[in-house]
Amino acid sequence: MAYMSQEGYDKLVAELAHLEGTERKKASAAIAEARDKGDLSENSEYEAAREAQAHLEDKINQIKRTIAEAKIVDTSRLSADAVQILSTVELTNLATKAKMKYTIVSESEANLREGKISIKTPIAQGLLNKKVGDEVEIAIPRGTIKLRIESITI
């Protein structure tokens, strides 16, 4: 089961509609065009188009599975008492004094440029169920970081 926001769910549904509509037609057209170029046994364009179509179908199936397993989180029932999915957490790195702000989201909604990190990341896992003022040590690929939770909002 994948917990996500209504916004994240709606984006997935829209992406699925786009892939099944527009992108599938493009993939079929690319295959037809390549097929028209002759001998399929030596047609690298045809093979590339078929491979692109297979990747597209895999992506469509993955999104369908995510949508089928999705559980939309009712944000009105969430509390800012402790870190959980859809919490926005302001942190201070105790070693560098750097401030950072992350929103913890489902894997399909993660986007580091927007400050959204997957609930499956080491940082999110280390913050779950912690409260304002808590100091946590989190093992990340480059070592261990020590963070203090400054605020939690929904």
Side-chain angles (χ1 to χ4, degrees), residues 9-84:
Y9 181 85
D10 293 344
K11 281 182 179 179
L12 276 180
V13 170
E15 182 180 1
L16 178 61
H18 173 73
L19 293 175
E20 288 183 321
T22 307
E23 295 303 318
R24 246 189 199 154
K25 287 177 187 169
K26 285 181 185 177
S28 292
I31 289 171
E33 184 180 321
R35 190 180 307 129
D36 290 343
K37 293 187 178 177
D39 184 9
L40 296 182
S41 65
E42 295 179 16
N43 189 333
S44 61
E45 278 186 50
Y46 177 77
E47 288 303 317
R50 295 277 302 166
E51 192 172 315
Q53 182 185 41
H55 287 299
L56 175 65
E57 291 304 321
D58 284 346
K59 188 170 186 174
I60 287 171
N61 289 329
Q62 180 183 2
I63 291 172
K64 281 182 176 180
R65 275 192 305 277
T66 302
I67 288 171
E69 296 171 357
K71 174 95 172 99
I72 297 170
V73 177
D74 180 359
T75 55
S76 68
R77 301 185 73 190
L78 296 178
S79 165
D81 293 343
V83 178
Q84 58 195 314

Side-chain angles (χ1 to χ4, degrees), residues 136-150:
V136 294
E137 283 191 32
I138 301 171
I140 59 172
R142 284 190 259 143
T144 301
I145 57 171
K146 193 166 184 180
L147 304 169
R148 182 176 53 239
I149 300 172
E150 303 296 343

Side-chain angles (χ1 to χ4, degrees), residues 102-106 110-112 115-119 121 123-124 127:
Y102 296 120
T103 301
I104 299 173
V105 296
S106 68
N111 183 333
L112 196 53
K116 296 178 179 181
I117 61 171
S118 166
I119 194 161
T121 62
I123 291 176
L127 294 173

Side-chain angles (χ1 to χ4, degrees), residues 89-102 147-151:
V89 187
E90 290 188 36
L91 307 160
T92 301
N93 181 323
L94 297 175
T96 65
K97 304 298 182 215
K99 304 277 186 194
M100 52 193 96
K101 182 177 178 178
Y102 296 120
L147 304 169
R148 182 176 53 239
I149 300 172
E150 303 296 343
S151 72

